Amino acid sequence: MRQIPVDTANATVMVAKAPQPKVKDRRTGEIAIDKDGVTLMTVEVMFSTPEEVEILKLTVPQPGVSEDLTMGTPVALTGLVASAWENEFNGQKRHGIAFRAVAVTSLAAGASQPKAA
């Protein structure tokens, strides 16, 4: 799947919803992990440019998430990429864009940095 880098230089980004573990299977509650066994987190952010504002749901490895991210915290996004996806479930085709980042780092004064990997 092709990953397209997302330019964040002219964007203002802040947390819209505090980080949560990414759920792989809603029926069992299984938490998603990456190929290295690292827990994946979901972080929703408000991504604002001079032209528009969107809420993006990002997947981020847990060590890349600053502690104490709460709604409204200004953040920097490292390594943000977008990937198109498509699947079929119960005969219905669905598609969209998934966003993944290496890190979501608080820009608030005195904030803790992401945990070392």
Side-chain angles (χ1 to χ4, degrees), residues 28 38 44 84:
T28 65
V38 175
E44 292 185 39

Side-chain angles (χ1 to χ4, degrees), residues 14-17 44-47 53-57 99:
M14 64 179 63
V15 175
K17 185 176 178 184
E44 292 185 39
V45 298
M46 182 189 76
F47 191 92
V53 176
E54 291 189 52
I55 300 296
L56 303 181
K57 187 180 283 192
F99 294 92

Side-chain angles (χ1 to χ4, degrees), residues 34-89:
D34 68 11
K35 64 184 182 323
D36 298 320
V38 175
T39 299
L40 296 175
M41 302 295 286
T42 299
V43 183
E44 292 185 39
V45 298
M46 182 189 76
F47 191 92
S48 175
T49 65
E51 295 80 34
E52 62 186 307
V53 176
E54 291 189 52
I55 300 296
L56 303 181
K57 187 180 283 192
L58 312 177
T59 298
V60 185
Q62 189 172 27
V65 178
S66 286
E67 293 180 14
D68 302 326
L69 291 183
T70 59
M71 186 170 26
T73 303
V75 293
L77 305 177
T78 303
L80 181 62
V81 294
S83 303
W85 61 269
E86 181 177 280
N87 64 24
E88 189 170 330
F89 184 73

Side-chain angles (χ1 to χ4, degrees), residues 100-116:
R100 185 170 177 127
V102 172
V104 177
T105 307
S106 174
L107 297 176
S112 60
Q113 299 303 307
K115 301 169 201 135

